């Protein structure tokens, strides 16, 4: 990563937090924000297991922060579990104390504990919901309170950007990930609610559904061939990070409450759920018999594997 000598970088003078930034997508996002001029707090809990197991380590976050500084940027590392409410608050405060303010929050931290719903334990459910959904809430809550207070003190809107990380597991379902899919769906709901609540303060909130080959998705994409000859992998995190940089920038000031699917040189803007069919009772109220007569033929005529969402936005070839 190298910093442009131009003084007109789009994120110059802005500060950012990226959670889960020690590896994979978060690392690519932190590097991209720094390349665009932002001062970055690199957060990561540093556990070696993608299921959240192992001893916490500051090394992953420190390495990314050092990489940013070596390229001429500004960065500090933060070791902390964002699912801990107090630590999330301390993370936001660290950005304010270090850089004088917080302008951008990118929520990326997460773990996986995959299991079919009939086999999943309570802890496997709770831990994934806690890190993904509660972790997104915790940082958002403290950042939102900070921006609201700044706006009220200034008597005008302030600059604030939130970029959350959802998943196509929410859009299309994922049979072995009921906890993950539910958490990612909850993140979309949190994002749209936050977008409405903070718009008057000058803050936007958007979410992305990225596809990328990372430590968390190594099993998912194990069958997809990596390119030879030095070509950029279609599943490289670097295909995702530019969208995060854009959503964090002044250029995206009118983009709010949106959901994007992004990977391999493709960005798709998703629509909110639409009515697929509507049925009105012929009487005062529906009866079981009328619903059976009206609804069953409709669903029997649809593909057995069809869900309410789009299963694939863009196909990928397996190697």
């Amino acid at each position: 990563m190298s910093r442009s000598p131009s003084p007109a970088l789009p994120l110059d003078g802005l500060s950012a937090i990226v959670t889960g930034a020690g590896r994979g997508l978060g690392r690519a996002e932190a590097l991209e924000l720094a390349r665009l001029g932002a001062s970055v707090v690199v957060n990561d809990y540093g556990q070696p297991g993608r299921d959240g197991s192992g001893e916490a380590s500051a090394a992953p976050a420190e390495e990314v922060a050092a990489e940013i500084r070596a390229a001429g940027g500004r960065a500090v590392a933060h070791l902390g579990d964002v699912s801990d409410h107090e630590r999330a608050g301390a993370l936001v405060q660290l950005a304010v104390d270090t850089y004088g303010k917080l302008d951008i929050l990118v929520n990326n931290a997460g773990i996986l504990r995959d299991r079919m719903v009939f086999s999943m334990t309570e802890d496997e459910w709770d831990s994934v919901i806690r890190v993904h959904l509660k972790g997104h809430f915790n940082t958002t809550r403290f950042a939102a309170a900070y921006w609201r207070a700044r706006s009220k003190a200034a008597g005008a809107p302030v600059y604030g950007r939130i970029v959350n990380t959802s998943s196509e597991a929410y859009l299309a379902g994922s049979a072995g990930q009921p906890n993950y899919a539910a958490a990612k769906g909850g993140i979309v709901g949190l994002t749209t609610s936050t977008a409405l609540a903070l718009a008057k303060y000058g803050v936007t909130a958007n979410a992305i559904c990225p596809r990328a080959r990372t430590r968390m998705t190594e099993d998912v994409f194990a069958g997809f061939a990596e390119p030879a000859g030095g070509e950029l992998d279609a599943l490289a995190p670097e295909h995702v990070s530019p969208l995060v940089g854009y959503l964090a920038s002044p250029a995206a000031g009118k983009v709010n409450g949106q959901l994007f699917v992004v990977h391999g040189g493709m960005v798709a803007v998703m629509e909110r759920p639409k009515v697929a069919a509507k049925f009105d009772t012929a009487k005062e109220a529906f009866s079981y018999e009328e619903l059976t007569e009206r609804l069953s033929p409709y669903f029997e005529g649809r593909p057995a594997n069809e869900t309410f969402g789009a299963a694939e936005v863009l196909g990928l070839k397996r190697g």
Side-chain angles (χ1 to χ4, degrees):
M1 183 197 71
S2 61
R3 290 285 297 274
S4 166
S6 168
L9 293 171
L11 302 185
D12 261 345
L14 302 179
S15 66
I17 290 170
V18 183
T19 72
R23 305 177 179 93
L25 275 171
R27 173 184 174 274
E29 292 163 353
L31 294 177
E32 177 69 2
L33 294 183
R35 187 187 72 82
L36 295 175
S39 301
V40 184
V41 177
V42 179
N43 161 266
D44 202 283
Y45 203 30
Q47 292 171 306
R50 65 178 185 169
D51 61 351
S53 62
E55 292 296 323
S57 170
E62 291 283 5
E63 289 170 5
V64 175
E67 187 174 355
I68 291 172
R69 292 193 296 267
R74 299 181 67 195
V76 295
H78 176 267
L79 170 67
D81 179 1
V82 293
S83 69
D84 183 298
H85 198 65
E86 291 186 5
R87 289 191 181 186
L91 171 60
V92 170
Q93 192 60 49
L94 174 63
V96 176
D97 291 344
T98 303
Y99 302 125
K101 60 176 181 169
L102 172 65
D103 303 292
I104 300 159
L105 170 63
V106 179
N107 284 309
N108 172 75
I111 63 171
L112 290 178
R113 293 191 179 178
D114 295 350
R115 192 87 64 183
M116 299 297 284
V117 69
F118 43 77
S119 303
M120 182 163 286
T121 67
E122 182 180 14
D123 180 65
E124 288 167 340
W125 173 271
D126 287 348
S127 60
V128 170
I129 297 295
R130 175 178 54 80
V131 175
H132 286 276
L133 184 53
K134 186 182 177 185
H136 272 61
F137 160 73
N138 283 344
T139 54
T140 297
R141 182 257 181 255
F142 288 106
Y146 166 75
W147 285 319
R148 178 175 179 266
R150 275 188 62 197
S151 177
K152 285 184 172 293
V158 297
Y159 191 100
R161 299 285 189 269
I162 299 172
V163 183
N164 290 332
T165 306
S166 182
S167 170
E168 289 175 283
Y170 150 70
L171 287 173
S174 182
Q177 297 181 307
N179 48 3
Y180 181 75
K184 292 306 190 181
I187 286 168
V188 174
L190 172 64
T191 302
T192 54
S193 175
T194 301
L196 291 172
L198 300 186
K200 66 181 180 180
Y201 303 117
V203 180
T204 67
N206 296 285
I208 63 171
C209 295
R211 275 189 216 171
R213 197 189 307 272
T214 67
R215 182 181 59 144
M216 281 187 61
T217 61
E218 58 189 3
D219 293 343
V220 176
F221 296 122
F224 293 93
E226 296 188 48
E231 297 178 15
L232 183 62
D233 187 355
L235 291 167
E238 287 74 18
H239 284 296
V240 175
S241 55
L243 176 61
V244 173
Y246 165 73
L247 293 173
S249 76
K254 299 296 184 181
V255 184
N256 195 27
Q258 300 299 313
L259 176 65
F260 300 84
V261 173
V262 54
H263 58 85
M266 188 281 300
V267 173
V269 183
M270 306 304 293
E271 287 189 322
R272 296 190 182 218
K274 298 165 65 175
V275 175
K278 181 175 179 291
F279 302 88
D280 295 310
T281 181
K283 304 174 183 179
E284 183 178 1
F286 272 114
S287 65
Y288 167 83
E289 290 77 14
E290 185 183 8
L291 288 170
T292 301
E293 180 182 330
R294 302 286 299 281
L295 294 183
S296 292
Y298 172 75
F299 285 103
E300 287 168 1
R302 302 176 72 180
N305 64 347
E306 184 175 310
T307 66
F308 73 90
E312 293 289 337
V313 176
L314 182 67
L316 294 173
K317 293 182 179 179
R318 291 183 179 272

